[in-house]
Amino acid sequence: FSAGGGIATKLKLLAIERAATAQPGLFDDNAAFGFDAAAAVDHVRAADVDLARVIDAVGPFKLQLKRTASVFGALAEAIVYQQLTGKAAATIFARVCALFPRPHEGLKPERLLRASDAKLRGAGLSQAKTLALRDLARHTVDGRIPTLPEIARMDDAAIIDRLTAVRGIGRWTVEMLLIFRLGRPDVLPTDDLGIRKGFAVAFNKRALPLRKDLEKRGMRWQPYRSVASWYLWRAAELPRRRGTR
């Protein structure tokens, strides 16, 4: 293993990979949505004939909820993944976790605060992401980041308001947490490029939609806009129909 740290680092990375399937998460399985997924798909299909065609083309709703040991860990991972390909981000995140003892337990805010900038940058973090992770860690240690039981009792707007106070965490990042970690049913990330591309495909538009257009159409899909969002992401992968307008 030729990367920095040699075999010791490799062993730590393997420990993280082995533990990923064993460590306790926010959800014990992928059926733990806070809503009936089949009923939600039926609702969206009935509410929008154009999106119903996308649902037919894509097939069953297969959104996978991601496991997470803590809100801090989920947000730390989200910060690392910003503006990177999945493979590159996964490598850097694994290196950051491997900097600390017992990496299978996930990142701990206290440990991260004690680490030097040089150590974190050496794992591949940019200066901006290093600063963002430190701010997140300080918020967590100070009790400003809700625990998993606390966040489960909060509504979406309150979660967005609380978490976007952290440096480097914007509305989009929290919306991804709401959908993919918390399984919230009614989230529509109107600034997401994949959502906008999928909208153009689903509704046969040449140009990407404005936020107001997405919000207006999204009113039809309430209270299951997360389901509609998942199908719009999948729509972006479908071939375009002829005669776009």
Side-chain angles (χ1 to χ4, degrees), residues 115-150:
S116 67
D117 282 1
K119 190 174 184 179
L120 295 173
R121 295 292 302 277
L125 292 173
S126 66
Q127 180 65 18
K129 290 184 179 181
T130 298
L131 292 172
L133 285 174
R134 289 197 184 283
D135 193 47
L136 172 63
R138 283 191 291 268
H139 274 71
T140 304
V141 170
D142 293 344
R144 289 176 283 172
I145 298 299
T147 64
L148 289 175
E150 289 170 342

Side-chain angles (χ1 to χ4, degrees), residues 219-241:
M219 293 176 67
R220 300 188 185 191
W221 311 326
Q222 291 176 316
Y224 298 116
R225 288 179 295 175
S226 297
V227 173
S229 295
W230 186 85
Y231 276 105
L232 290 177
W233 275 312
R234 304 288 75 76
E237 302 164 359
L238 296 174
R240 295 295 294 266
R241 302 200 302 271

Side-chain angles (χ1 to χ4, degrees), residues 180-201:
F180 292 103
R181 257 72 170 190
L182 303 181
R184 295 296 175 92
D186 198 32
V187 182
L188 178 61
T190 54
D191 292 324
D192 185 274
L193 182 58
I195 293 286
R196 297 173 68 211
K197 287 182 176 179
F199 186 95
V201 171

